[in-house]
Amino acid sequence: MTPWQASGPWLRCALHAHTTNSDGELAPRMLVKHYERAGYDVLAITDHWHRTEAPSGRVLVIPGAELNCLLPAGRDGHVLALGVDADPGELGERLDLAGTAGWIVAHGGVAYLAHPYWTGATPGTLELPAEVSGIEVYNAGCELEIGRGLSAVHWDELLAAGHACHAIAADDTHHPGFDSDLAWTWVRAERSAEAVLEALRSGCFYASTGPLLTDVRVGDGAVEVECSPCRSVTLLTGVSSGAAVHAGRLGYSYAAEIVDRTHDGLITAARLVLPETAPYARVEVVDAAGKTAWSNRVA
Ligand SMILES: [Zn+2]
Ligand SMILES: [Zn+2]
């Protein structure tokens, strides 16, 4: 079920953040306060190899951690352990991705592979064990520091290879105020840790650095998208296929049409043709400031 077919509130979630329990600048309580001020509903604290807890206030805090794992070709991977009920210290050593994710799932958590592009994981060779719910399609800290925040190619290769792979966007903040409130995940779920974790397992959310995806419907061989004003709406469906519309007097349309637009020409609704043989379909929208939102698989 997509989040637009689900019911319940939309929760703005920060799912990757560090405190003084690892290499972050703020103590856990101050980090919670920071995301409260920024209007978030949920904060998962993910210190390196340390399960950090903090009291929930207006922000629901989900304890978690970030673990290292061994990826193919000897790469050092990072895995978010969201909602685990034990400290990863007991794990003791770096396992492969399946072993690491297995420990996370066995402890009630949800596993996401963090920043594959930053890590150097090669698109098309990455395997995603069933215990891993997905990847970070965008990590703001990795983008700010070295321009390797966007892992959309990794995601498309995983989807094309048949992996069930959802994608979140996150700050990975270490210096809140400088590298925070740049990327988040809109989860559609009741405001409880159990419901949010289940939505992260099932894909009932979308990722964003700005735009809102207010509706995405699939039917009659097309995908209909409603969004906050955007300069482009794209349907990604695999190698050499897809559809897109672009705003502007000479805005290009490919297998798609603009259904509604603002007075200054930005797109707020579009209809995109879904290729019959598409192995998967997901939606990306980009606003006038270049900010992006990514749906999970919608078909
Ligand atoms: Zn990391
Ligand atoms: Zn991190």
Side-chain angles (χ1 to χ4, degrees), residues 16 18 48 66-67 77-80 114-115 118-119 136 139 142 172 174:
H16 189 163
H18 296 270
H48 297 284
E66 182 174 16
L67 310 179
H78 291 191
V79 187
L80 296 178
H115 47 61
W118 184 88
T119 297
E136 283 179 343
N139 178 302
C142 293
D172 196 359
H174 291 76

Side-chain angles (χ1 to χ4, degrees), residues 1-5 155-156 158-166 202-203 205 216-225 234-238 241 272-284 295-299:
M1 187 190 283
T2 74
W4 301 279
Q5 296 166 313
W155 190 19
D156 281 318
L158 286 164
L159 291 172
H163 289 281
C165 179
H166 311 311
S202 69
F205 64 85
V216 179
R217 294 182 302 275
V218 182
D220 291 334
V223 178
E224 292 182 53
V225 178
T234 304
L235 185 68
L236 292 100
T237 63
S241 83
L272 307 108
V273 175
L274 180 62
E276 266 176 36
T277 55
Y280 69 90
R282 66 178 184 85
V283 173
E284 265 186 39
S295 83
N296 278 318
R297 251 191 100 148
V298 294

Side-chain angles (χ1 to χ4, degrees), residues 58-139:
R58 270 189 293 123
V59 168
L60 173 71
V61 176
I62 297 179
E66 182 174 16
L67 310 179
N68 299 70
C69 76
L70 193 61
L71 290 178
R75 299 278 184 199
D76 181 43
H78 291 191
V79 187
L80 296 178
L82 304 166
V84 286
D85 60 13
D87 191 87
E90 69 163 50
L91 189 58
E93 55 166 348
R94 201 174 58 146
L95 307 176
D96 63 10
L97 181 55
T100 307
W103 180 89
I104 293 166
V105 170
H107 286 279
V110 181
Y112 270 83
L113 184 66
H115 47 61
Y117 184 31
W118 184 88
T119 297
T122 311
T125 62
L126 197 58
E127 293 284 329
L128 217 58
E131 295 84 356
V132 182
S133 295
I135 66 168
E136 283 179 343
V137 63
Y138 187 79
N139 178 302

Side-chain angles (χ1 to χ4, degrees), residues 186-258:
W186 282 110
V187 170
R188 193 155 202 193
E190 296 303 327
R191 191 185 172 280
S192 74
E194 297 72 32
V196 170
L197 291 171
E198 185 47 37
L200 291 171
R201 275 183 207 105
S202 69
C204 197
F205 64 85
Y206 70 92
S208 185
T209 58
L212 294 173
L213 277 170
T214 46
D215 197 17
V216 179
R217 294 182 302 275
V218 182
D220 291 334
V223 178
E224 292 182 53
V225 178
E226 290 176 24
C227 55
S228 55
C230 281
R231 72 182 188 205
S232 69
V233 178
T234 304
L235 185 68
L236 292 100
T237 63
V239 176
S240 312
S241 83
V245 285
H246 299 269
R249 205 158 46 81
L250 282 174
Y252 193 87
S253 292
Y254 182 78
E257 59 179 335
I258 296 172

